């Protein structure tokens, strides 16, 4: 297909990169976005980075009239509009549930009522796994580590960079049973399930993509709830030491936004009628401390002393990285941007 595509939340970080990717491949792109002040600033209008060819409708996902207007004439929908902070979701419980769950419900109801078949691709999250998969560990094992970490005082990070991690994570496949550790994770799981259930009932082809730690340009630097790299960037630029939760040896899977939007287009174009879900990550693990070390190298900063807090955020997990075998086999996905290249691009944008 090469028709008209709707991206909900398309003025945001991942959505706007997806708009660029789709325009490059000949699609027409419409965006429905509420331009939330937290991401776009007070009185925000159309973001400057949004391609002029994108048709932008300002509206709330929970407003059926706005959603129906946005859907009209489109052939496929990417549902990216969501609140995205794990920590924030633990105290703004009502807002996260309302925007993420009800927004998805309004979209699905409109799609079920609308004539014409449309494909739906939902942005899900690795957060639904809770802890990733371990070679020989479990959640209980992890509690011990957390207690030790809680004893840490602020101090030099050099020894920590050299110490090996006691828990050995292995890639987490899609089959791993969900273990929801935050309201955000719960809302992402609900979005995914609701789309797959309603899609199955109405014959709407649905793909849920479980994104891992996506990073890149346009990630909001002023939002304290965005990804750790954007937070590090804004603290370093303002001359503040980055804050490290736990001991910094927790591991994640950092994937470039360019690889993520390439995966999104593959999901759009794959010939598929049934409901499916895929992990989208780099398939590699790296600790938060190593991320900071590499980022400082790219930025030519050699005098930074991070604040190692030893405490952890409510809802956080210890380790998780992706098994991307399914996405490779079914979608033909292959991550192409090395972490080094991705960091350089991010540094150049700051
Ligand atoms: C969560 C979701 C992920 C995605 C992302 C969106 C989980 C398990 N994962 O990823 O699916 O939706 O949020 O933002 O819920 N950290 C610091 N210092 C800081 C900030 C973070 O040390 O200033 C640590 C944090 O404790 C964590 C790691 O960095 O261990 C990554 O944090 P994040 O907020 O970038 O992403 P994460 O993994 O919670």
């Amino acid at each position: 297909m090469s028709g008209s595509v709707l991206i909900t939340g398309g003025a945001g970080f991942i959505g706007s990169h997806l708009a660029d990717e789709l325009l490059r491949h000949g699609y027409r792109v419409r965006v429905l976005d509420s331009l939330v002040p937290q991401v776009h600033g007070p009185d925000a209008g159309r973001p400057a980075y949004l391609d002029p060819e994108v048709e932008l409708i300002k509206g709330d996902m929970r407003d059926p009239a706005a959603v129906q207007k946005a859907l009209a004439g489109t052939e496929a929908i990417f549902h990216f509009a969501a609140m995205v902070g794990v920590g924030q979701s633990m105290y703004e419980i009502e807002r996260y549930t309302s925007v993420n769950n009800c927004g998805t419900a309004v979209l699905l109801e409109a799609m079920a009522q609308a004539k014409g078949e449309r494909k739906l691709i939902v942005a899900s999250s690795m957060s639904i796994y809770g802890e990733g998969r371990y070679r020989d560990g479990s959640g209980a094992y992890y509690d011990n580590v957390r207690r030790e970490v809680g004893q840490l005082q602020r101090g030099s990070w050099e020894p920590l960079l050299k110490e090996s991690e006691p828990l050995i994570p292995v890639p987490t496949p899609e089959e791993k049973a969900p273990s929801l550790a935050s309201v955000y994770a719960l809302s992402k799981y609900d979005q995914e399930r609701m789309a797959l259930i309603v899609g199955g009932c109405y014959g709407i082809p649905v793909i849920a993509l479980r994104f891992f730690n996506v990073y890149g340009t346009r990630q909001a630097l002023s939002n304290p709830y965005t990804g750790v790299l954007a937070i590090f960037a804004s603290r370093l630029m303002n001359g503040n030491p980055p804050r490290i939760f736990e001991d910094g040896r927790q591991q994640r899977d950092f994937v470039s936004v360019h690889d993520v939007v390439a995966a999104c287009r593959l999901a759009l174009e794959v010939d598929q009628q049934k409901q499916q879900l895929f992990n989208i990550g780099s398939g590699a693990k790296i600790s938060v401390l190593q991320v900071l070390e590499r980022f400082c190298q790219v930025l030519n900063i050699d005098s930074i002393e991070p604040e190692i807090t030893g405490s952890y955020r409510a809802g956080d997990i210890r380790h998780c990285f992706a098994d991307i075998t399914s996405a490779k086999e079914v979608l033909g996905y292959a991550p192409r941007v090395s972490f080094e290249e991705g960091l350089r691009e991010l540094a150049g944008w700051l």
Side-chain angles (χ1 to χ4, degrees), residues 308-350:
I308 313 240
T309 65
S311 60
Y312 61 90
R313 295 183 309 192
D316 254 359
I317 55 135
R318 180 71 176 172
H319 301 305
C320 194
F321 75 107
D323 182 334
I324 52 174
T325 311
S326 286
K328 280 181 170 170
E329 287 177 2
V330 181
L331 302 179
Y333 167 65
R336 295 188 199 287
V337 183
S338 72
F339 194 46
E340 178 76 17
E341 284 171 311
L343 288 181
R344 287 201 179 283
E345 190 199 13
L346 180 60
W349 170 75
L350 294 173

Side-chain angles (χ1 to χ4, degrees), residues 101-345:
N101 296 36
C102 296
T104 306
V106 169
L107 173 65
L108 287 169
E109 212 169 293
M111 287 185 73
Q113 285 165 3
K115 301 246 179 332
E117 193 179 280
R118 297 179 169 94
K119 186 170 194 170
L120 174 63
I121 295 155
V122 182
S124 184
S125 160
M126 49 77 96
S127 64
I128 71 169
Y129 294 123
E131 281 301 316
R133 187 163 273 181
Y134 290 98
R135 192 183 293 165
D136 51 7
S138 69
Y141 190 1
Y142 174 49
D143 285 344
N144 299 339
V145 174
R146 280 207 161 163
R147 270 198 296 277
E148 276 173 35
V149 164
Q151 314 297 319
L152 281 172
Q153 300 298 317
R154 290 179 191 187
S156 170
W157 58 320
E158 311 261 321
L160 283 171
L161 267 169
K162 290 188 192 110
E163 257 180 68
S164 65
E165 162 61 37
L167 298 176
I168 312 293
V170 294
T172 297
E174 289 85 352
E175 297 74 50
K176 182 181 181 289
S179 173
L180 308 167
S182 64
V183 171
Y184 169 74
L186 175 63
S187 74
K188 280 283 142 188
Y189 188 62
D190 286 347
Q191 285 190 324
E192 189 183 272
R193 290 293 109 187
M194 212 189 297
L196 291 167
I197 291 167
V198 177
C201 176
Y202 288 92
I204 301 166
V206 175
I207 294 184
L209 299 177
R210 292 178 174 170
F211 297 151
F212 278 64
N213 291 71
V214 189
Y215 72 95
T217 60
R218 303 180 192 163
Q219 199 162 19
L221 297 177
S222 54
N223 179 353
Y225 307 105
T226 49
V228 66
L229 261 169
I231 295 172
F232 284 170
S234 91
R235 290 189 72 86
L236 289 168
M237 283 193 323
N238 294 321
N240 296 318
R243 261 201 314 257
I244 304 280
F245 298 125
E246 307 182 40
D247 58 356
R249 288 184 297 155
Q250 62 271 33
Q251 293 172 350
R252 293 289 190 278
D253 180 331
F254 285 82
V255 59
S256 160
V257 69
H258 299 301
D259 285 331
V260 167
V261 299
C264 291
R265 186 176 60 81
L266 291 168
L268 174 66
E269 292 175 353
V270 72
D271 187 17
Q272 156 266 9
Q273 288 307 313
K274 54 181 188 135
Q275 326 303 313
Q276 282 181 312
L277 52 90
F278 300 97
N279 283 341
I280 303 297
S282 70
K285 58 186 172 172
I286 184 166
S287 76
V288 170
L289 273 184
Q290 287 167 329
V291 166
L292 179 61
E293 190 189 32
R294 300 262 191 98
F295 196 32
C296 287
Q297 280 163 2
V298 163
L299 292 167
N300 290 320
I301 297 175
D302 55 12
S303 57
I304 197 76
E305 194 61 51
E307 187 188 318
I308 313 240
T309 65
S311 60
Y312 61 90
R313 295 183 309 192
D316 254 359
I317 55 135
R318 180 71 176 172
H319 301 305
C320 194
F321 75 107
D323 182 334
I324 52 174
T325 311
S326 286
K328 280 181 170 170
E329 287 177 2
V330 181
L331 302 179
Y333 167 65
R336 295 188 199 287
V337 183
S338 72
F339 194 46
E340 178 76 17
E341 284 171 311
L343 288 181
R344 287 201 179 283
E345 190 199 13

